[in-house]
Amino acid sequence: MADTPWHVLGAGSVGTLWACRLARAGLPVRLLLRDAARVNRYQQGPGLRLLEGTHETTFALPAQTAATEEPIARLLLACKAYDAETAVASVRHRLVERAQVLLLQNGLGSQQAVAAALPRAEVFFASTTEGAWQRDDGTVVFAGQGFTWLGSADGAPAPSWLNDLAQAAIPHQWTPEIMTRLWRKLAINCAINPLTVLHQCRNGELHDHSPQVTALCEELTALLQAIGQPDAAHDLHAEVGKVITATAANYSSMYQDVAAGRRTEIAYLIGHACVQAQRAAVPVPTLESLRQALLQALRDKGLPTN
Ligand code: NAP
């Protein structure tokens, strides 16, 4: 129903991007912030600020904490993967029967954990190529137009709330193959992002490390085939090469996180791939040694390794 409020948990880059577009379309949106102090600080300011090109808009959306009593029928979880389980646990008591919960986390692992924790909810997974980041003053910059694939892990049909996304001009498509999309993105990430951290380079400079990239793609292809994701494995090496070329001037998101001293989502990216490889008894020596090297690099910088 169009009048069902969207409760957006996590008013960071992606949460702001979604909340502002939904609100601009006239849809009811509530922000769920960490605690009363955050709500107070937010309420003293003008609201969420979104910069699209040169156009900045302010959205004074209502904010609340997990302690508010209003029931939640539709939850958009827009925190980092490592915060997802705790965040969802904080509002679980407010979810109505068959609440709809849309998970925007990158990588894999957090989605399954949240779905397992919410057996009475309808849980949906998303994979997005949109990009947003937060300026020091809190304004969220919509930096990369992209596309969002949505689906359900348990084969549920397309939900009616997709109309809200259309109304909000959020480019999207429903797919019965969301796991393929998420695994494909994760595999491409594994072949590029950790190497950019270790070699301290832009994506394009990975062309100088092509034997390593090739070995990673071979192992990831074998892993995807072994775990029943052959479509995610299809022509992986060629696509990784294309992504490296198309994004040659960019620093990867993991590179940027490490450079800024932010916690990475390593456990849900290369970490998840290595765990799944071990479970499926697929040897991934290059991937595993890359994970170990990355963990060491994070320890050296005093950053969390989980
Ligand atoms: P972000 O800017 O760090 O935003 C996450 C927000 O969630 C923060 O405001 C955080 O608050 C909040 N949060 C965490 N736990 C909470 C809790 N228990 N209660 C209330 N708020 C809570 O992260 P992001 O860049 O939007 O990324 C979100 C997800 O989208 C990640 O998995 C990321 O990989 C994925 N993604 C992002 C982009 C992008 O361009 N940004 C693109 C594709 C995918 P605090 O500040 O207090 O921690």
Side-chain angles (χ1 to χ4, degrees):
M1 283 178 35
D3 54 1
T4 302
W6 286 82
H7 282 83
V8 178
L9 200 167
S13 305
V14 166
T16 298
L17 183 58
W18 280 66
C20 292
R21 289 180 296 179
L22 290 166
R24 181 162 52 201
L27 296 160
V29 178
R30 321 263 192 271
L31 303 177
L32 282 160
L33 305 183
R34 257 186 208 278
D35 49 37
R38 297 287 177 107
V39 172
N40 283 340
R41 207 181 324 146
Y42 168 79
Q43 284 170 343
Q44 278 161 22
L48 296 182
R49 290 190 307 275
L50 182 66
L51 182 64
E52 297 159 284
T54 55
H55 189 66
E56 185 168 326
T57 323
T58 302
F59 296 85
L61 306 181
Q64 54 186 240
T65 67
T68 304
E69 281 176 14
E70 184 187 31
I72 297 176
R74 189 171 291 155
L75 178 68
L76 183 70
L77 192 66
C79 59
K80 290 283 174 68
Y82 49 74
D83 280 329
E85 275 185 87
T86 312
V88 132
S90 74
V91 293
R92 187 168 38 206
H93 61 287
R94 291 176 55 185
L95 295 177
V96 303
E97 188 74 23
R98 309 302 307 156
Q100 297 156 333
V101 180
L102 175 54
L103 307 180
L104 294 181
Q105 286 61 49
N106 200 3
L108 274 165
S110 72
Q111 299 91 335
Q112 290 88 340
V114 168
L118 301 178
R120 298 154 85 94
E122 292 176 19
V123 180
F124 304 94
F125 298 174
S127 177
T128 185
T129 59
E130 289 189 327
W133 58 280
Q134 221 161 347
R135 269 190 344 210
D136 288 345
D137 66 356
T139 300
V140 168
V141 182
F142 188 6
Q145 303 285 332
F147 196 81
T148 301
W149 294 93
L150 301 149
S152 141
D154 58 12
S160 60
W161 52 257
L162 291 182
N163 292 333
D164 284 13
L165 271 49
Q167 201 176 320
I170 296 173
H172 70 278
Q173 191 173 321
W174 180 259
T175 172
E177 310 295 340
I178 190 67
M179 292 307 290
T180 303
R181 295 270 166 197
L182 285 162
W183 265 114
R184 179 74 162 188
K185 190 167 184 225
L186 186 151
I188 294 168
N189 180 300
C190 288
I192 296 177
N193 292 28
L195 285 178
T196 63
V197 175
L198 293 176
H199 295 300
Q200 283 294 289
C201 68
R202 296 175 195 264
N203 291 357
E205 291 165 63
L206 292 185
H207 283 308
D208 301 338
H209 301 278
S210 45
Q212 247 179 322
V213 174
T214 301
L216 287 169
C217 289
E218 282 170 4
E219 290 180 7
L220 288 160
T221 298
L223 169 62
L224 292 169
Q225 283 165 346
I227 61 170
Q229 292 293 340
D231 291 347
H234 184 69
D235 273 347
L236 178 65
H237 188 220
E239 187 166 352
V240 166
K242 280 187 207 153
V243 172
I244 289 173
T245 301
T247 61
N250 298 358
Y251 287 108
S252 75
S253 53
M254 190 178 267
Y255 176 102
Q256 291 182 46
D257 282 342
V258 174
R262 289 190 296 257
R263 182 173 172 183
T264 69
E265 295 180 300
I266 178 174
Y268 303 88
L269 297 162
I270 190 170
H272 185 78
C274 288
V275 167
Q276 295 306 312
Q278 198 177 15
R279 274 194 199 149
V282 177
V284 288
T286 315
L287 197 64
E288 181 55 33
S289 64
L290 180 60
R291 186 178 76 92
Q292 293 298 339
L294 183 59
L295 288 170
Q296 190 56 49
L298 297 178
R299 276 192 289 271
D300 290 347
K301 290 187 179 292
L303 291 174
T305 53
N306 57 348

